[in-house]
Each structure stands twice: as structure tokens, then as C-alpha cells.
Amino acid sequence: MDKRLETLLAKQAIGELSSRYMRGLDRRDRDLLLAQFGGDGWCEYGFMNASSTELIDFALQALANHVANQHLIGNTLIDVEGNEAYGEVYFQAYHKVPSEAGFDDMIIAGRYIDRYKCREGTWKLAYRSEVVDWSRSSPSNDPYFELVPNTLRGGRQDDPVYRLDNRRRP
């Protein structure tokens, strides 16, 4: 295969890996999160440096009492070097969290500094470091849900993304 096409396919696979990781966080899907890492994945977040399994369990517990989450991916740069690749993935993570006043909106933004390995044709995270560039918190204000109360709302494991048959309706 042409080296440029091989590199493009690797970058596409790694981009999808990052998207599945974010879906796993938002849907609190442990199996999906674990599937993005190689068996020896390592995470370095400063406040916690641990195996991918330990970090995932910590993150899922931290997200347990949140009303909503949305993890977004921005600029993504990936350098592929054979069966290894290095990435910088910008992110913004929204969290609606309980507070004394009701709920707060907390946004954390930064970059994942990653190393990926391709094993048996499948790209996995080997190393992930989360670098936080900024954050902000403020009281929630959700007038949209009062104006449009029948809005379809996101969920966790019951989210429509897991019900593929719904997408086949005419």
C-alpha cells in the first residue's frame, strides 16, 4: 500500500479511537473506554498517574453524580512512525454537577498528549496525558429545557446512540 494512504488510514483510525474514548466518558461505558487502550496502557494526569484501567474506574466514579457531560475534540495532530504514533488532541469537557445552589456548569479545556501503538492491525492508546489549559465554573441556566420540555435528551447507557434500530426507521 502507498505509504501516504497507510498513514492517512492510521490517522483516521486514531481519530475514531479518540471519538470512542469521548463517547465512553459521556455514556459512562467502561467496556468502550477499556477497548481504546492496549493492555498495558498508562495515564499521566498529575493528580493521578495510573494504569488505564485504574484511571477509567476513577473517571467513571467521578462522573457518576453528574447530570450531563459532553466531551468534545478539537484540533488533532498525529504523527505516525511505523507501528507507533504520537498525538496532540485538544478537548473541551462540559460537566453539569450538583452544587449548593442547584447545579453548576464546569468546563475543562486542554490537550491530550498521546502515544499510540498498532498491534495486529489495530491502533490503541499506549499512553495518555491530560494537560489542562483552562477551566471555568458558573451556576447552570437551562431555559431551553423549560421552553422545549419534550426535547430528546442525552443519557448514559440508555442513550439513543446505543439503539441502532431507531436509526433504521423510515
Side-chain angles (χ1 to χ4, degrees), residues 63-76:
L63 298 173
N65 74 336
H66 294 193
V67 174
N69 300 102
Q70 189 176 62
H71 292 77
L72 302 173
I73 296 172
N75 304 349
T76 301

Side-chain angles (χ1 to χ4, degrees), residues 73-167:
I73 296 172
N75 304 349
T76 301
L77 294 172
I78 299 166
D79 296 316
V80 179
E81 298 176 6
N83 286 334
E84 205 163 54
Y86 302 89
E88 178 185 41
V89 179
Y90 281 66
F91 73 87
Q92 284 190 9
Y94 166 80
H95 308 280
K96 185 173 183 174
V97 298
S99 70
E100 291 179 13
F103 297 100
D104 283 349
D105 294 330
M106 180 175 58
I107 300 171
I108 301 170
R111 295 163 289 129
Y112 293 119
I113 309 299
D114 295 334
R115 182 169 45 86
Y116 314 93
K117 286 187 179 178
C118 185
R119 295 180 180 141
E120 300 178 19
T122 302
W123 286 95
K124 300 282 186 175
L125 278 159
Y127 170 86
R128 169 153 278 184
S129 178
E130 181 182 89
V131 176
V132 176
D133 292 317
W134 62 271
S135 68
R136 130 187 196 308
S137 294
S138 61
S140 290
N141 183 5
D142 291 330
Y144 178 81
F145 295 119
E146 293 172 18
L147 297 171
V148 189
N150 292 328
T151 295
L152 297 176
R153 296 181 76 166
R156 300 294 189 176
Q157 299 287 309
D158 61 340
D159 191 83
V161 76
Y162 290 106
R163 294 192 307 263
L164 297 179
D165 287 342
N166 286 352
R167 299 181 200 183

Side-chain angles (χ1 to χ4, degrees), residues 8-49:
L8 184 63
L9 290 172
K11 288 182 178 191
Q12 177 66 31
I14 291 168
E16 290 179 15
L17 178 154
S18 292
S19 293
R20 285 189 301 273
Y21 180 84
M22 297 308 218
R23 176 186 279 176
L25 288 172
D26 289 340
R27 307 284 72 86
R28 293 189 65 241
D29 186 332
R30 185 176 190 270
D31 292 339
L32 182 60
L33 287 164
L34 287 171
Q36 306 321 304
F37 285 88
D40 58 349
W42 184 256
C43 299
E44 188 173 7
Y45 281 51
F47 65 86
M48 182 175 193
N49 304 313

